[in-house]
Amino acid sequence: SLDDYKFVYQGVTITPDMNTNEFLDALGEPMHYYEVKSCAFEGMDKIYTYNSFEVSTYPNGTNDLVSYIYFKDDTVTTEEGAYIGMAKADVLALYGDNYVERAGVYVYTKGGMELRFIFNGETLATVEYATTVLEE
């Protein structure tokens, strides 16, 4: 839905549970591609690594849907403006206090997905968008 958290990279929107057919072509060739038999579903889990982020997928029938989007460096930001290296206080100011803390990971949940902030001390170390489908 419109108010879900989403990752937008060079005009291309990627969200958890989105069909990879909708964005893979637009992203161009990944730097690295890896696949492994899915433990949760029939078929293969796939990992596409780009310069500054990684997209993992899970099989759903003949389609592949996004399970995770993972930030690798500070050249990408969330739609709301969070980036690796940002101060924890600034991240929390952007997103508010409606989070659950799990082992130091700050988790915001919306529309069947999670936006996870992992801090190193007072600094944002990485950002992860994740489906909740795999937690059933």
Side-chain angles (χ1 to χ4, degrees):
S1 76
L2 289 175
D3 65 344
D4 286 359
Y5 296 121
K6 54 180 176 272
F7 172 52
V8 181
Y9 178 75
Q10 296 181 348
V12 181
T13 298
I14 312 171
T15 62
D17 302 312
M18 186 176 184
N19 191 324
T20 56
N21 293 341
E22 297 180 44
F23 63 82
L24 276 183
D25 285 349
L27 289 180
E29 278 297 301
M31 285 169 43
H32 186 73
Y33 169 78
Y34 177 75
E35 62 181 40
V36 60
K37 192 164 171 31
S38 178
C39 358
F41 301 97
E42 195 64 39
M44 303 298 275
D45 290 340
K46 298 172 183 173
I47 301 172
Y48 300 87
T49 305
Y50 299 92
N51 281 323
S52 41
F53 65 96
E54 195 169 273
V55 178
S56 302
T57 71
Y58 65 94
N60 183 348
T62 56
N63 295 316
D64 291 309
L65 307 185
V66 175
S67 50
Y68 297 100
I69 304 153
Y70 180 85
F71 284 16
K72 292 168 51 191
D73 67 29
D74 63 5
T75 64
V76 284
T77 71
T78 65
E79 202 184 26
E80 296 76 22
Y83 56 88
I84 290 177
M86 193 177 208
K88 182 192 265 185
D90 294 339
V91 175
L92 299 182
L94 268 185
Y95 287 92
D97 53 14
N98 194 16
Y99 60 83
V100 176
E101 190 182 340
R102 293 203 299 249
V105 180
Y106 289 63
V107 180
Y108 292 84
T109 305
K110 206 198 282 196
M113 61 159 294
E114 291 182 347
L115 180 55
R116 303 173 184 160
F117 295 106
I118 300 150
F119 294 96
N120 182 358
E122 293 301 306
T123 308
L124 185 55
T126 191
V127 176
E128 190 175 76
Y129 294 78
T131 180
T132 52
V133 167
L134 304 170
E135 293 173 10
E136 301 301 305

